[in-house]
Amino acid sequence: MRGDGRLFRRARSPFWWMSYYHDGRECRESTGATEEKQARKALRLRLQEIANDKAGIQAFSPGATRLRVNDLLDELEQDYRVRDKLSATVRSHLKRIRERFGNERAAHLDAKEIDSYIAEQLEAGAAPATINRGTQLLSQAYNLALLRSRLTKKPHIRKLPEKNTRQGFFEHDQFLAIVAHLPEHLRDYCRFAYLTGWRRGECSSLTWEDVDQRARLIHLRPERSKNGHARKVALEGELWSIIERRWNERITTRKNGATTMPRHVFHRDGHPIGEFKKSWATACREAEVGRKLFHDFRRTAVRNMVRAGVPESVAMKISGHRTRAVFDRYNITDERDLRDAMTKTQQYLSTQRYSSVVSSPTDRRTSGA
């Protein structure tokens, strides 16, 4: 009968195949079994899932067992691209997840295997935050598949606790040294981040459409901001010089001799700035500044603005911090700030040392007469 499904063989396949009907159309898939008894068991299980779907007990998605994790990640990557959120950082995290889970059947991946991956990454020295960014994308891929009825369930994906207090800063001479050792296409890019405190993805996504040269303003669109809020930055001094320089050098010549005018303010041969780990590591080594992170520019910009007397509310608007809690996590007080505080305190106390006149016993008797 039509509702009972059937088993059949295919040429050059060692497995039994099954055919069944769902929502009025025929579905065919491999049972994964070479023995007829096991194949009939797989068919019965599939028919029970369809019956549960009709009864509203559990949704069933034909072909879900054939989906691989790579298929889910492809759909997530396309979703990021449509929303203009696909950055070099996202691609980097997706690459690690693909390498580990890409060929796995999406419906068969379980929490135990994901936990094993997390343990391996921790043992290899990866930071919890880095691991979380990758597994978060994996979770988003499953959520998207559930939303589109491509799957009916997802594995539990653990999130590791992160320590968010940041410590790295650039002193100005260190910043100048590292910029001097960077490739030309990265220098203005890093100067901009050092002055504004913008995140790397925000700097990379900046286009000429966002630059109002007449008003000397940059408008960061909400879809390109990590927290989804638009913000403005005034172009003054060195910032304006950076934009003028990028505008004058905006026309590039390709290897084939063709000229192009890139949309992005910061680019390499017309393409948005991507990963540059090797160039960064080389510049840090040659500048002798130790192990620094690009994200240290963000912390440094905030600290420099506060030290310069910029109100914290204004500094937060420029850097894009939405709450005081997140702003404070940068822990902008360092050893120099502590020394300055103690020096100022002691200078104040030294002015108070002789401000109170202690009267003599004779003075006290005279005043009491």
Side-chain angles (χ1 to χ4, degrees):
M1 292 179 63
R2 177 170 173 171
D4 294 335
R6 66 185 179 90
L7 295 174
F8 63 96
R9 288 281 198 175
R10 272 189 170 178
R12 296 187 297 277
S13 174
F15 304 114
W16 282 89
W17 285 67
M18 57 183 169
S19 169
Y20 55 87
Y21 282 83
H22 180 72
D23 289 339
R25 64 184 182 88
E26 185 183 21
C27 302
R28 296 184 177 189
E29 64 176 290
S30 171
T31 64
T34 56
E35 300 291 333
E36 184 177 1
K37 182 178 179 180
Q38 294 299 321
R40 291 199 177 279
K41 184 177 179 180
L43 175 59
R44 286 197 301 271
L45 178 61
R46 186 67 74 246
L47 294 175
Q48 183 60 53
E49 289 176 342
I50 295 172
N52 289 343
D53 182 38
K54 291 180 178 179
I57 298 173
Q58 181 181 2
F60 170 69
S61 175
T65 56
R66 295 195 295 270
L67 281 175
R68 298 190 182 275
V69 173
N70 263 336
D71 298 323
L72 271 57
L73 297 177
D74 287 343
E75 293 189 11
L76 179 68
E77 188 169 337
Q78 178 60 24
D79 180 68
Y80 266 71
R81 189 177 291 109
V82 168
R83 294 187 290 122
D84 201 19
K85 290 284 189 178
L86 188 61
S87 65
T89 302
V90 170
R91 288 193 183 96
S92 177
H93 290 305
L94 283 173
K95 181 180 178 181
R96 281 193 289 270
I97 295 298
R98 287 184 187 278
E99 289 173 352
R100 182 63 171 80
F101 300 116
N103 292 323
E104 297 274 351
R105 296 279 187 181
H108 297 164
L109 184 62
D110 58 20
K112 183 178 180 181
E113 190 169 357
I114 296 172
D115 280 349
S116 296
Y117 164 77
I118 292 173
E120 291 168 7
Q121 291 293 300
L122 288 171
E123 188 174 348
T130 301
I131 298 171
N132 282 345
R133 298 297 83 76
T135 54
Q136 182 181 17
L137 289 171
L138 179 62
S139 180
Q140 289 177 8
Y142 270 94
N143 289 340
L144 187 62
L146 291 173
L147 183 65
R148 295 176 174 177
S149 300
R150 301 274 278 158
L151 290 173
T152 60
K153 62 179 181 177
K154 63 175 284 190
H156 172 72
I157 300 178
R158 184 189 307 277
K159 182 178 180 180
L160 298 173
E162 300 178 23
K163 296 180 180 179
N164 290 314
T165 300
R166 313 299 186 177
Q167 300 294 336
F169 296 98
F170 275 99
E171 296 303 333
H172 193 61
D173 59 334
Q174 293 177 323
F175 163 71
L176 295 176
I178 200 169
V179 167
H181 289 91
L182 284 170
E184 185 64 36
H185 68 278
L186 291 176
R187 292 180 181 178
D188 278 341
Y189 177 78
C190 289
R191 291 184 183 112
F192 184 86
Y194 176 74
L195 292 170
T196 62
W198 280 20
R199 301 172 180 89
R200 189 170 68 179
E202 294 168 346
C203 296
S204 299
S205 66
L206 186 65
T207 67
W208 288 112
E209 300 165 4
D210 307 320
V211 181
D212 186 342
Q213 295 189 64
R214 179 171 296 181
R216 290 197 178 192
L217 283 173
I218 287 180
H219 303 265
L220 179 65
R221 303 180 191 183
E223 63 269 22
R224 293 177 181 171
S225 170
K226 181 180 178 180
N227 55 33
H229 290 81
R231 61 181 185 270
K232 299 178 182 179
V233 171
L235 296 172
E236 297 293 340
E238 178 61 19
L239 268 181
W240 175 243
S241 298
I242 291 171
I243 296 302
E244 279 192 314
R245 196 158 49 241
R246 301 316 306 155
W247 177 257
N248 292 333
E249 299 175 6
R250 70 192 184 283
I251 298 176
T252 62
T253 303
R254 297 277 177 87
K255 293 180 179 179
N256 60 6
T259 59
T260 181
M261 186 182 298
R263 289 180 60 236
H264 292 83
V265 176
F266 305 106
H267 61 87
R268 181 180 184 183
D269 297 330
H271 301 287
I273 302 294
E275 287 290 341
F276 50 92
K277 291 180 180 178
K278 291 183 179 179
S279 298
W280 180 264
T282 299
C284 287
R285 183 175 63 254
E286 293 181 354
E288 299 180 349
V289 297
R291 186 176 179 274
K292 294 289 186 180
L293 304 176
F294 183 89
H295 204 76
D296 292 341
F297 286 147
R298 183 161 169 77
R299 292 185 276 277
T300 303
V302 169
R303 187 186 66 175
N304 288 345
M305 283 187 273
V306 172
R307 280 181 173 178
V310 176
E312 291 185 356
S313 59
V314 177
M316 290 170 66
K317 288 181 180 179
I318 295 173
S319 64
H321 291 95
R322 296 294 301 172
T323 65
R324 272 310 306 247
V326 176
F327 186 82
D328 290 340
R329 273 204 325 234
Y330 280 89
N331 193 19
I332 62 173
T333 302
D334 67 359
E335 182 180 342
R336 177 174 145 186
D337 296 316
L338 296 173
R339 292 186 184 280
D340 287 346
M342 292 308 301
T343 300
K344 290 176 182 178
T345 302
Q346 291 174 64
Q347 287 174 347
Y348 167 76
L349 291 175
S350 67
T351 64
Q352 303 299 307
R353 186 171 299 171
Y354 300 106
S355 61
S356 298
V357 178
V358 179
S359 58
S360 64
T362 304
D363 294 333
R364 287 200 294 272
R365 285 197 299 272
T366 303
S367 62

